[in-house]
Structures are given as C-alpha cells and as structure tokens.
C-alpha cells in the first residue's frame, strides 16, 4: 500500500462560499493541510475574499488579513518583519492571491519582496482570469481563450505570462508549479517551501467551472489533463537555476483533449488548435532542455 | 535629557527611535529622505531594534506597516506628497482595519509642475481617510508628537499622521530636547493589541461585510475619533507633567479679548504669532488660533474660541480647486451652527512654498479691518 502523504488534519471548515468544483477552494484546503495551524494568511481581493465567508464567519481556520488587491506580497512583508522582531519565526507567513493579484496588479510588490528576500511563502491559485469580478482576462489567461473582455470574436491574442520565469529571474530559493489534481505533489511542494526561508513561490493551477465554462465535476480531470497534455507542466526551480520536472508523461496527450472540454475554447478553429499544439510542444521541449542544462551548470561554473 | 540642534526630519527619526518602533517600511522622496536615512543607520548600528523593510514603493510601504501593525508590532513610516498620494488606498485600509500606525508626512506641493516646496494640499487631501492628523510648528513638537501619536493611536486604534512643512521644518536645524528613553518608556508602554493575527486565536480581519454591519463599523471609527478628542488633551497634560511641554488640539494665542482672530497651521502660524505681537504693540486687538490637530477636528474648541471674535481670518496654504481653502471650509462649518457667528475671510497664500512673511500676515489683518462682510476666497500675492 502507498504511504499517505496528505495529512488528515482539516483546517478549512465546511460552509465556505466557493462554487461547486472550485479548484481554488480545494487548493486552500490542501495547502493548509501542508502548512498546519501556525500560519498567517494575507489575502488580497480575489474569489478567496468571498470564499472565506462573510463577516463574522471564516472557513479557513487560520488567521487571515484581507488586504487591498495589489498588496498580498507587501502586506505579508510587514507580517514577516513583525514575526521576526516579535520572535515568532515559527509562523508560516503566507500570501494567498489570485492570478490577477499576482501576474498583473500585484507584480511590483512581488518583485520587491522577492528581490529583498522577504520571508514569505507566496501561493497564487491560478484560475486564469479575474473571476471575482466576472471573468475578465488577466495576463495569466491562455492564448485564444474567451473571457468577457476577450470575447469570442477577439479572444486573447497573446500567450500566458511566464510567471515562474519572472520569479526565477529573481533568484529566489524556490519557485514551483502545482495543480489540484496532483494533490500529493502540491502538498509536498508546500511543505518543502515552508521548510525553506526567504521568498518562495508556488503557482497552483485551479480550474474554475464558471470561468472556464466547464461542469463542476470535471475539475480534477481538467487539472490532470493540463499536466498530461503539457499545457501546464509541473516543475520546480531552485535558486533561479535548478529546474526539475516533477511529472513527465511518456508522451504528451494532444491538447485538444484538454481544450474541447472547456466552453472558453469552444470557438477555436482547427488552425488555432494546431497552433496551440505547436506552442505547447515547443514550451515542453524548452523546459526539458532547461532541466538538462541545469544538471550541467555545476560543471560549467 | 540632552539638547541637540536637529532638522525636522531627524526629529521624526528620534521620535520613532524613542517610541521604540519595531517595524519600519519606507521609500525615499524629497524632502523626507533624511528621516529614513537616519532610521536606517539607527537600525544598522543597533541603536534601534527594528526591522526595516526597504520597500519598492510607498504603496508597499503603507501595506507593509499595515501587515506589521496587524501582527502586533509598533510600525512607522514617513513620506511626502506624491508618495502620500500613492498610499491613498492603503490609508483607508489601515483605518478600516483599526491599526495604530504612525507616519510622518512632510508637506510638499503636488505636480505638475514639479515642486518640492511646502504646501498642505497633500495631507489635507487625505482628510477623509480616517487618519488623525497633527500639524507641528517646530521641531520639538515634531519629535514630541510622534510619541504622543503612538500613545493616543494605540488607545483608540486609529492611525496618526504627524505633518510638518517641507524645508521650513524638515531641513531647518532647531534646538530640540531629546527626552530620556526611560521617561518616554514611562509615558509610552509597549504596544499591546488583542486583535492581532495570532495562529493561537485565529480570526479573519476585513472580510466581506454586508450592509447589515458595515455602517456600524464606520460609526465606531467616528466614535473613536471623538474619544481621541478627549484623549489628546488628557495625554497632552500627562506629557506635560513628565516633559514640561503641553500640546493640545489647538494652540490659541492672545485670543481672549481679540476682535479679529487669524486661524493658521504649521510654520505659517509661528510667523503669524510674531505678526500678532507687532499689531498688539500698535494697539490692535488681534489674536491667533493655531489648529494643531486637524483630524479629529476640534469643533468645540474652535467654536468656543472663535465665536467671541468680531472677524475670523483663515490662512490656507492649500487649495481644493473649485472650492477654496480646506481649513477655511472646516472653520465655516464649525461656525455655521453658532448664532450670530463672526464673518470668515478665507485667504489662499504661500502655495508651492512661496514665502509667507510677517508683513504679509499683517497685511491680512489690515485688509480685513476695512471689510465688513466675510469673503469665501481671497487670493493673496497672485501675480496675474
Ligand atoms: C485596486 C483595485 N482594482 C480593482 C479591484 C476589483 N477587483 C477585485 S478582485 C478582482 C479580480 C481578481 O482576480 P484574481 O486575482 O485572478 O482572483 P480571482 O477572482 O480570479 O480568484 C478585481 C479586478 C479591486 N478590488 N481593487
Ligand atoms: S468563480 Fe471560480 S474561482 Fe471563484 S469561487 Fe467560483 S469556482 Fe472558485
Ligand atoms: Mg483569477
């Protein structure tokens, strides 16, 4: 029998306000299992400002500071500084934000905190659009996807921003991707990140049924397909240099298997799908090459 | 206690040092830079045991002190003008979160065109953020006000801005008494707040609140301001017992038998004091009301002092375009419910750091002497 790596303890309680099949809610539940009770969350404007429950309720089971949209990293920087001066450095200081709060409006504060090496674990639950405000594009929205601001006639014209690349360029100790379908992998990464110091970053792909126009019961299937098709590879980068791919499918599944299940891609032509297929394959090869290269860095330098 | 000649910026730094601030987050801007430079040195050489977060913007500075204060640390920052405007969103948030953050703001005019000289529009345009605002007239008051600000803020759980004029105070050396640390410790106990981010007693702060409860939370913020009105005077008297200097909500000067009272803030008020003396020598019954605390606005004290006068002049080194002087509008508001209140003459002058001289102020009194009906706005010294 395989060893159970996911702690049984539950911190998140029932009664939260997420939609059925919300990847973001599941991501939090798993992250808290990995982090444990000694955790402080800063949450900027995003679905999670609602999911946690209206005043005076809270579903998270750990303290939360609700913060302005672009301040997850900067508010957490202050929390981390306070923990240090107050001698409470055993507390996990966690910024928990959406892709909009991370890739777009919050990126300056993130870059600042990452460069300073503030002692924060930053987790972005990436649902690839501004869901709280009703599905508008973010710079995490994938190429050709529909959102209310990238309508079917003019779907998103540019690919998703490479946030891990940006964070890796800050030479932070740890940056990783994860998704809710690979729960053990995600929990392991959160634990690993929590055991390190400095600025650490995890991007967890979190399907959103209303935003992706998908039935709630296929959230896990979608997250798994995102990895198996190579659309969203699972990997880690240590110190901005050492790449490690965690899940390596022998052969990538065709992207159409992932795309065809989602209403946000239903307008795609065969050419669009072919183009996305080429992009995904290219990115995958580049990632494999990075991993290979990082094995040789020590020999080169 | 020792006496030192220091600039206003360093008076802020010493105020923070003596208040034993634990987390500082700040971003440089002229004319505030010396505040954070000295604090960086103090942190580096261990004089001050604090974490200094060298943020990448003022927006992040305010967010970081907010996070620190919410975690139970005494937090400090300082800024000016453009930096203060950039903080605006978070200023509201800090009040809503009921965090006793203290910051220094060096008054500087907004661009464009670029200006680095003094004007009160930057801090006054943060009027409705719920921050308490103290306007100092000398460097001693700057230092003392930081300590007093923490004392009051931490009791009512509201943030405070200690405001000083660019260059006239920020870069001007004055002799300042640096109080002994033990005496400051006696006056200002360590920051304690039971509503903090604490994993052993987890709560969510600031979550979505529907119309059923939001208004009550705003009501409590206003009530806390009202409580602060009493506390500022009470703590001012406690401070006086230990340090021999009293600071209240307002600072009236020769107003008891005055027919005409000038209302002013900051260094313009020190200049006005001298003008009042000169006019008194000539037998003019004039006085000065310096407003020290702008938020909470001391309505009762202002009414008490001004309602006995025959004429009120307000000197505003600030402008709300389309309305006029910001302090004048508060003064008119305060007098509105006073029967047979005196007419108000609202002067705009000294914008963008233009000098306000004793002679200028004497002219205001002379001009007003010839006028009967109050004036909503009078521009002084405009060349076009
Ligand atoms: C300064 C500011 N601008 C805009 C908003 C409105 N707003 C709230 S949440 C949000 C989108 C959040 O998107 P994301 O970070 O991806 O989180 P999600 O809602 O998808 O979970 C926006 C635009 C805001 N709260 N603050
Ligand atoms: S809109 Fe999407 S991210 Fe937001 S709660 Fe619903 S499923 Fe979750
Ligand atoms: Mg999103």
């Amino acid at each position: 029998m395989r060893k159970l790596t996911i702690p049984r303890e539950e911190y998140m309680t029932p009664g939260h306000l997420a939609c059925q099949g919300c990847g973001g809610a599941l991501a939090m539940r798993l992250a808290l299992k990995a982090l444990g009770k000694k955790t402080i969350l800063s949450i900027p404007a995003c679905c999670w400002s609602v999911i946690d429950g209206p005043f005076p309720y809270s579903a998270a089971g750990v303290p939360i500071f609700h913060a302005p949209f672009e301040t997850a990293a900067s508010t957490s920087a202050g929390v981390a500084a306070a923990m240090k001066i107050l001698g409470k450095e055993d507390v996990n200081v966690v910024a928990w934000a959406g892709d909009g709060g991370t890739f777009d409006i919050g990126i300056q504060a993130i870059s600042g905190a990452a460069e300073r090496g503030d002692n924060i674990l930053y987790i972005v639950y990436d649902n690839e659009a501004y869901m709280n405000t009703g599905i508008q594009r973010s710079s995490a929205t994938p190429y050709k996807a529909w959102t209310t601001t990238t309508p079917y006639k003019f779907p998103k014209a540019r690919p998703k921003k490479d946030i891990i690349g940006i964070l890796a360029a800050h030479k932070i100790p740890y940056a990783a991707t994860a998704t809710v379908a690979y729960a053990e992998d995600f929990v392991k990464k959160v634990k690993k990140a929590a055991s390190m110091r400095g600025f650490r970053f995890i991007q967890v792909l979190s399907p959103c049924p209303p935003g992706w126009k998908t039935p709630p019961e296929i959230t896990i299937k979608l997250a798994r397909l995102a990895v198996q098709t190579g659309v969203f590879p699972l990997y880690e980068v240590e110190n901005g240099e050492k790449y490690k791919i965690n899940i390596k499918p022998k052969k990538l599944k065709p992207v159409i298997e992932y795309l065809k299940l989602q209403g946000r891609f239903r307008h795609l032509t065969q050419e669009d799908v072919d183009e996305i297929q080429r992009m995904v394959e290219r990115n995958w090869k580049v990632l494999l090459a990075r991993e290979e290269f990082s094995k040789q860095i020590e020999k080169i330098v | 206690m020792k006496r030192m000649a220091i600039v206003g910026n360093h008076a802020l730094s010493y105020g923070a040092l003596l208040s034993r601030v634990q987390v500082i987050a700040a971003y440089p801007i002229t004319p505030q830079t010396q505040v954070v430079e000295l604090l960086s040195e103090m942190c580096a050489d261990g004089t001050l045991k604090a974490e200094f977060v060298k943020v990448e913007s003022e927006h992040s500075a305010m967010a970081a002190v907010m996070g620190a204060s919410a975690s139970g640390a005494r937090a400090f920052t300082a800024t000016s003008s453009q930096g203060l405007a950039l903080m605006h969103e978070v200023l509201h948030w800090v009040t809503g979160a009921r965090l006793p953050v203290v910051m220094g703001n060096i008054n500087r005019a907004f661009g464009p065109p670029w200006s680095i000289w003094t004007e009160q529009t930057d801090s006054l345009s943060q009027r409705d953020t719920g921050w308490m605002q103290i306007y100092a007239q000398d460097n001693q008051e700057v230092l003392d006000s930081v300590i007093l600000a923490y004392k009051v803020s931490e009791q009512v759980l509201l943030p405070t801005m200690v405001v000083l004029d660019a260059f006239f105070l920020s870069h001007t050396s004055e002799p300042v008494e640096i109080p002994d640390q033990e005496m400051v410790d006696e006056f200002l106990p360590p920051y304690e707040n039971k509503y903090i981010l604490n994993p052993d007693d987890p709560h969510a702060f600031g979550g979505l609140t529907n119309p059923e409860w939001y208004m009550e939370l705003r009501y409590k913020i206003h009530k806390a301001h009202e409580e602060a009105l009493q506390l500022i005077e009470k703590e001012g008297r406690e401070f006086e017992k230990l340090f021999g200097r009293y600071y209240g909500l307002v600072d009236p000067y020769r107003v008891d038998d005055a027919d005409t009272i000038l209302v002013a803030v900051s260094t313009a008020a020190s200049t006005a004091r001298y003008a009042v003396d000169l006019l008194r020598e000539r037998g003019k019954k004039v006085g000065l009301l310096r407003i020290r605390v702008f938020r909470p606005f001391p309505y009762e004290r202002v009414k008490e002092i001004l309602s006995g006068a025959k004429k009120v002049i307000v000197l505003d080194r600030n402008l709300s375009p389309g309305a006029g002087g910001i302090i004048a509008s508060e003064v008119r508001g305060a007098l509105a419910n006073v029967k047979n209140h005196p007419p108000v003459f609202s002067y705009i002058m000294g914008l963008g750091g233009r000098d306000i001289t004793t002679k200028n102020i004497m002219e205001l009194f002379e001009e007003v002497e010839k006028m009967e009906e109050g004036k909503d706005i009078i521009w002084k010294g405009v060349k076009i």
Side-chain angles (χ1 to χ4, degrees):
Chain A
M1 209 172 80
R2 273 183 64 201
K3 198 170 151 256
L4 188 71
T5 57
I6 299 177
R8 286 183 184 279
E9 291 81 9
E10 291 288 354
Y11 298 92
M12 222 175 111
T13 62
H16 64 75
L17 299 182
C19 314
Q20 281 183 33
C22 174
L26 180 53
M28 177 70 92
R29 181 175 162 221
L30 293 170
L32 288 176
K33 281 169 170 281
L35 290 164
K37 184 169 161 332
K38 278 210 171 298
T39 298
I40 293 176
L41 299 174
S42 295
I43 303 186
C46 59
C47 266
W48 252 100
S49 1
V50 179
I51 294 173
D52 188 52
F55 169 84
Y57 303 104
S58 173
V62 297
I64 295 182
F65 191 83
H66 288 280
F69 195 14
E70 59 289 293
T71 67
S74 42
T75 302
S76 300
V79 176
M83 291 305 128
K84 179 144 189 233
I85 198 80
L86 298 172
K88 300 181 184 172
E89 280 181 280
D90 55 335
V91 173
N92 296 307
V93 179
V94 177
W96 180 273
D99 47 290
T102 304
F103 290 58
D104 294 335
I105 200 166
I107 196 156
Q108 173 181 324
I110 293 168
S111 176
E115 182 273 330
R116 291 190 299 273
D118 290 340
N119 195 24
I120 300 169
L121 169 54
Y122 193 111
I123 303 180
V124 48
Y125 70 101
D126 179 4
N127 53 25
E128 304 194 314
Y130 300 168
M131 298 313 179
N132 171 295
T133 40
I135 325 170
Q136 294 83 29
R137 62 95 83 184
S138 77
S139 55
T141 301
Y143 182 58
K144 290 281 172 177
W146 164 92
T147 68
T148 57
T149 50
T150 48
Y152 288 118
K153 276 193 180 165
F154 300 99
K156 184 143 180 284
R158 297 268 305 146
K160 184 179 174 93
K161 193 186 270 184
D162 175 12
I163 195 76
I164 296 290
I166 292 171
L167 268 298
H170 286 74
K171 304 260 185 268
I172 56 171
Y174 189 72
T177 63
T179 186
V180 288
Y182 293 84
E184 286 94 343
D185 175 76
F186 178 43
V187 166
K188 215 161 92 190
K189 284 172 174 167
V190 174
K191 283 193 164 179
K192 181 170 175 181
S195 74
M196 301 167 114
R197 298 187 55 78
F199 193 89
R200 297 138 287 154
F201 186 90
I202 296 175
Q203 172 190 13
V204 52
L205 184 73
S206 306
C208 162
W212 293 15
K213 303 265 168 270
T214 53
E217 65 274 17
I218 66 162
T219 287
I220 298 298
K221 182 176 175 181
L222 279 169
R224 195 174 301 284
L225 277 169
V227 176
Q228 291 173 342
T229 55
V231 167
F232 192 86
L234 299 186
Y235 63 104
E236 301 165 291
V237 190
E238 286 184 35
N239 302 315
E241 283 180 349
K242 207 173 138 221
Y243 281 69
K244 181 171 189 294
I245 304 171
N246 309 104
I247 306 281
K248 251 186 235 178
K250 283 208 182 69
K251 191 173 170 345
L252 296 181
K253 287 187 175 169
V255 291
I256 187 69
E257 289 190 26
Y258 175 65
L259 302 173
K260 72 180 182 201
L261 298 174
Q262 304 176 51
R264 63 175 175 157
F265 291 118
R266 70 151 202 238
H267 55 287
L268 297 191
T269 61
Q270 188 54 47
E271 277 157 36
D272 293 336
V273 174
D274 292 345
E275 198 187 353
I276 293 171
Q277 185 67 54
R278 280 194 299 275
M279 288 163 78
V280 164
E281 281 172 17
R282 185 187 164 91
N283 289 345
W284 178 246
K285 282 181 194 155
V286 170
L287 186 63
L288 287 169
R290 284 214 168 105
E291 186 187 42
E292 262 327 293
F293 177 69
S294 56
K295 286 180 194 156
Q296 295 166 33
I297 288 182
E298 282 316 313
K299 284 184 231 153
I300 298 167
V301 293
Chain B
M1 180 207 73
K2 56 180 179 204
R3 238 174 128 73
M4 275 165 59
I6 56 171
V7 295
N9 278 338
H10 288 171
L12 277 178
S13 316
Y14 276 101
L17 170 75
L18 290 166
S19 301
R20 294 189 187 276
V21 300
Q22 293 166 303
V23 174
I24 302 164
Y27 191 79
I29 181 170
T30 303
Q32 152 268 29
T33 40
Q34 296 166 322
V35 184
V36 290
E37 283 166 359
L38 184 57
L39 284 170
S40 305
E41 271 175 41
M42 288 169 168
C43 289
D45 69 16
T47 319
L48 174 57
K49 284 187 186 44
E51 283 296 305
F52 196 141
V53 192
K54 285 157 192 167
V55 283
E56 81 306 322
S57 72
E58 288 87 353
H59 197 281
S60 290
M62 190 41 65
V65 292
M66 171 173 78
S69 183
S71 307
R74 186 172 283 162
F76 181 81
T77 185
T79 189
S80 178
S81 178
Q82 312 294 137
L84 184 66
L86 186 58
M87 288 177 175
H88 178 75
E89 180 198 28
V90 198
L91 295 183
H92 277 284
W93 208 279
V94 168
T95 306
R98 301 300 298 273
L99 297 172
V101 171
V102 172
M103 83 157 137
N105 180 67
I106 326 297
N107 279 136
R108 160 181 162 180
F110 281 132
W114 283 117
S115 165
I116 52 169
W117 294 278
T118 198
E119 184 184 307
Q120 266 93 41
T121 310
D122 61 350
S123 50
L124 290 174
S125 65
Q126 304 304 331
R127 189 188 68 174
D128 303 334
T129 55
W131 279 62
M132 298 195 277
Q133 291 196 0
I134 298 172
Y135 289 78
Q137 67 172 353
D138 56 46
N139 292 348
Q140 183 73 59
E141 186 177 348
V142 171
L143 187 156
D144 294 342
S145 293
V146 174
I147 300 166
L148 277 157
Y150 280 112
K151 185 76 187 269
V152 174
S153 277
E154 289 172 6
Q155 291 177 72
V156 295
L157 298 180
L158 288 174
T160 304
M161 204 183 288
V162 176
V163 185
L164 51 146
D165 276 322
F167 302 104
F168 298 131
L169 285 191
S170 70
H171 286 66
T172 305
S173 281
E174 291 180 342
V176 170
E177 278 185 15
I178 315 284
D180 289 339
Q181 184 68 62
E182 305 82 78
M183 279 171 76
V184 177
D185 290 346
E186 193 182 320
F187 179 72
L188 180 67
Y191 170 41
E192 266 182 46
N193 184 350
K194 56 180 172 167
Y195 309 109
I196 57 167
L197 296 163
N198 175 5
D200 296 327
D201 181 21
H203 295 280
F205 297 92
L208 187 69
T209 299
N210 61 25
E212 200 183 337
W213 286 113
Y214 184 90
M215 192 158 158
E216 281 63 27
L217 297 174
R218 295 295 126 171
Y219 171 80
K220 289 179 86 168
I221 290 171
H222 185 75
K223 284 285 149 193
H225 268 274
E226 287 180 355
E227 194 188 331
L229 281 174
Q230 319 295 321
L231 259 181
I232 289 166
E233 295 201 315
K234 177 177 163 271
E235 294 299 348
R237 285 189 291 273
E238 293 299 317
F239 188 90
E240 187 183 19
K241 280 185 209 154
L242 282 168
F243 303 99
R245 297 180 291 275
Y246 174 72
Y247 302 100
L249 297 163
V250 294
D251 180 10
Y253 183 67
R254 302 185 89 163
V255 292
D256 288 347
D257 63 338
D259 289 336
T260 304
I261 298 177
L262 174 88
V263 180
V265 304
S266 303
T267 56
S270 339
T271 312
R273 182 162 319 184
Y274 186 52
V276 163
D277 284 343
L278 293 176
L279 288 166
R280 282 271 175 180
E281 281 170 22
R282 296 186 198 165
K284 304 280 181 198
K285 289 169 101 180
V286 296
L288 166 72
L289 176 62
R290 175 171 80 97
I291 295 188
R292 176 172 177 269
V293 177
F294 177 73
R295 281 289 180 276
F297 194 78
Y299 283 103
E300 288 313 314
R301 302 284 285 127
V302 168
K303 280 197 265 192
E304 229 172 78
I305 293 164
L306 296 184
S307 51
K310 297 206 175 80
K311 288 176 182 172
V312 171
I313 306 174
V314 185
L315 187 169
D316 270 295
R317 183 179 244 158
N318 63 73
L319 179 69
S320 171
I326 296 170
I327 296 174
S329 91
E330 301 288 340
V331 170
R332 284 194 296 257
L335 292 174
N337 289 337
V338 175
K339 259 206 194 115
N340 303 320
H341 61 76
V344 176
F345 301 82
S346 162
Y347 277 92
I348 306 291
M349 63 195 291
L351 300 189
R354 188 174 298 180
D355 233 357
I356 296 176
T357 63
T358 317
K359 185 168 160 280
N360 295 151
I361 293 177
M362 289 169 77
E363 282 164 13
L364 306 190
F365 284 105
E366 284 153 14
E367 286 173 21
V368 166
E369 207 174 353
K370 293 176 212 134
M371 293 190 261
E372 279 314 312
E373 274 176 38
K375 285 234 173 353
D376 291 338
I377 186 163
I378 311 169
W379 288 82
K380 182 81 183 154
V382 175
K383 291 185 287 237
I384 43 175

